[in-house]
Amino acid sequence: MTLTPFSRAVLLGSLAMLPGSLLAPERASAEWSAVAESKVSYTDDVTNFSAARRLKFSEDPSQPTGLPTQLSDVIWDPSLEVIRSSSSTLGPNELSLKAHGFIFTNNPIFNHGDYRLQFKQGLSPDTSLLLRYRNVPNQFLGPNTERRTGNNLIQEERVSSHTWRTELEHRVNESWTLTLIGRYGLRFYNDAFAERDTKLWTIGSQVGHVVNPRMAVSLGYIYERGLADGRGNMQFNDDVSYRLHAVSAGTDLTLIESLSLHLVYIYRRKDFTSELLGDTHLNRHDNSHQGMAEFRYRLNGAVSLSASFQRTQRTSTVVTRDFNDTIYSLGGSYRF
């Protein structure tokens, strides 16, 4: 039986999680819980809403983008996460499955889902290992000019992303925490843009510091390399290979017992490495700046509310790729 690239990626994603769940026999019965969450967001650029939302390190900071449209929309994104908590001879562990939908009010062609399988194992009281597989299938990026037929036709550009992530977190002392980050990913484009199929890998780290009981700060850096199938192919002149550097700085403030403020700034530089003379990616560099502020209010142990503002600005050596995106969001979550 021959497996498609999509089937192989899903199979690998599932297999990648098995070692974690089989690390050691359980010593206690499992406990089940779930978190239902929903947000309503307004954006002034539907094409780049998803990429802007996923720019933070824990998401997908290198997600491809389409041409800016400056079309505004209201997006509803409900999610449900099911969690199984247990214990082994190594320590406590947690297996979770999360499904997250993005529903656009006026531009339903951008609707898509985000699915995550995650396992976290405590290795000691101060050290834990996290394994995560994420799949975003058949996501619409927008209309674009294809290169494969030689006719420069306008076609829908779509991509399916599969990423595997590992995090090794160690609490150095009561104030300092160090996290090492590794990631591997595959992106499969639709047939009209198949030369853009990409393999990527990421390395990085993040440091957290508890300043006092009401304030914690973090600083992180990641490097990513993406290699496209079309690199060096002069027939298509379409090489989306890249190098990416990103820095993140965040602050968590407890204003009162039930109200907190989360602030984060992210800078990302994406350098395309194409050497094809007829390629629009030749000598292209993108610089993105993003600031986000989110208030979180805990009503009780099960219910919390949030309100956030996010602003993303990208400049590019290809002017048509510049964009500014503003997102306002209101949300709530319930744990049961």
Side-chain angles (χ1 to χ4, degrees):
M1 181 178 67
T2 301
L3 295 176
T4 65
F6 176 81
S7 300
R8 288 199 301 270
V10 173
L11 178 60
L12 287 171
S14 301
L15 292 176
M17 307 306 295
L18 288 177
S21 59
L22 299 175
L23 279 174
E26 294 181 5
R27 295 187 308 183
S29 60
E31 294 183 359
W32 291 86
S33 61
V35 179
E37 186 174 5
S38 182
K39 281 188 177 181
V40 177
S41 302
Y42 168 84
T43 180
D44 56 10
D45 188 341
V46 293
T47 306
N48 292 293
F49 168 81
S50 297
R53 278 283 298 268
R54 295 193 176 102
L55 194 59
K56 55 187 178 181
F57 285 8
S58 60
E59 297 286 339
D60 189 358
S62 62
Q63 179 186 298
T65 58
L67 285 170
T69 60
Q70 293 303 308
L71 292 174
S72 61
D73 207 344
V74 174
I75 301 96
W76 177 49
D77 54 299
S79 68
L80 177 64
E81 181 177 15
V82 179
I83 306 162
R84 179 182 183 272
S85 302
S86 187
S87 181
S88 71
T89 54
L90 290 178
N93 59 62
E94 190 175 272
L95 178 67
S96 66
L97 177 64
K98 183 176 182 178
H100 196 164
F102 294 84
I103 303 169
F104 290 69
T105 303
N106 298 319
N107 300 271
I109 194 171
F110 287 95
N111 292 354
H112 65 280
D114 182 333
Y115 307 97
R116 189 194 76 191
L117 179 63
Q118 177 174 291
F119 180 78
K120 187 174 183 178
Q121 174 67 57
L123 303 178
S124 75
D126 297 319
T127 306
S128 64
L129 175 66
L130 179 143
L131 304 173
R132 177 186 295 159
Y133 166 68
R134 186 189 299 274
N135 172 223
V136 182
N138 199 35
Q139 183 179 356
F140 179 61
L141 299 179
N144 210 343
T145 304
E146 58 83 30
R147 304 288 188 90
R148 300 183 71 84
T149 65
N151 297 321
N152 293 328
L153 302 175
I154 301 298
Q155 299 281 351
E156 288 188 1
E157 183 181 7
R158 292 181 176 271
V159 65
S160 294
S161 299
H162 308 267
T163 55
W164 295 262
R165 181 186 182 93
T166 62
E167 288 186 6
L168 182 62
E169 181 181 288
H170 178 66
R171 187 176 61 179
V172 180
N173 54 41
E174 293 298 322
S175 300
W176 293 92
T177 302
L178 174 64
T179 304
L180 302 180
I181 301 167
R183 196 171 76 126
Y184 176 76
L186 298 171
R187 301 199 198 277
F188 299 116
Y189 288 76
N190 53 320
D191 290 343
F193 299 91
E195 73 280 0
R196 295 187 170 189
D197 288 356
T198 302
K199 298 179 178 66
L200 62 94
W201 57 268
T202 313
I203 57 172
S205 62
Q206 191 158 340
V207 177
H209 177 54
V210 178
V211 180
N212 57 53
R214 290 185 173 273
M215 180 179 181
V217 297
S218 64
L219 180 65
Y221 166 79
I222 59 171
Y223 169 82
E224 182 169 300
R225 183 71 166 110
L227 295 174
D229 286 356
R231 61 186 185 280
N233 191 326
M234 293 183 289
Q235 177 185 355
F236 303 135
N237 282 323
D238 188 29
D239 179 4
V240 297
S241 301
Y242 63 88
R243 292 187 179 91
L244 180 146
H245 302 270
V247 177
S248 174
T251 302
D252 286 289
L253 301 170
T254 301
L255 305 179
I256 57 175
E257 184 178 354
S258 57
L259 179 65
S260 62
L261 173 62
H262 175 64
L263 303 171
V264 65
Y265 165 75
I266 298 173
Y267 169 73
R268 188 194 74 168
R269 179 178 174 90
K270 191 174 186 179
D271 298 323
F272 289 88
T273 57
S274 174
E275 297 179 350
L276 301 172
L277 295 179
D279 189 1
T280 57
H281 297 95
L282 179 65
N283 296 324
R284 176 180 157 189
H285 311 285
D286 294 347
N287 288 288
S288 300
H289 298 268
Q290 183 181 96
M292 193 266 283
E294 182 177 54
F295 286 97
R296 300 166 181 169
Y297 182 70
R298 189 178 69 255
L299 287 176
N300 52 50
V303 181
S304 63
L305 305 174
S306 65
S308 65
F309 168 80
Q310 178 180 295
R311 174 71 173 177
T312 308
Q313 296 180 329
R314 184 176 77 187
T315 58
S316 176
T317 49
V318 177
V319 178
T320 56
R321 295 290 176 170
D322 290 351
F323 76 83
N324 298 321
D325 180 41
T326 303
I327 300 173
Y328 303 91
S329 299
L330 293 174
S333 67
Y334 178 68
R335 188 180 186 97
F336 54 96

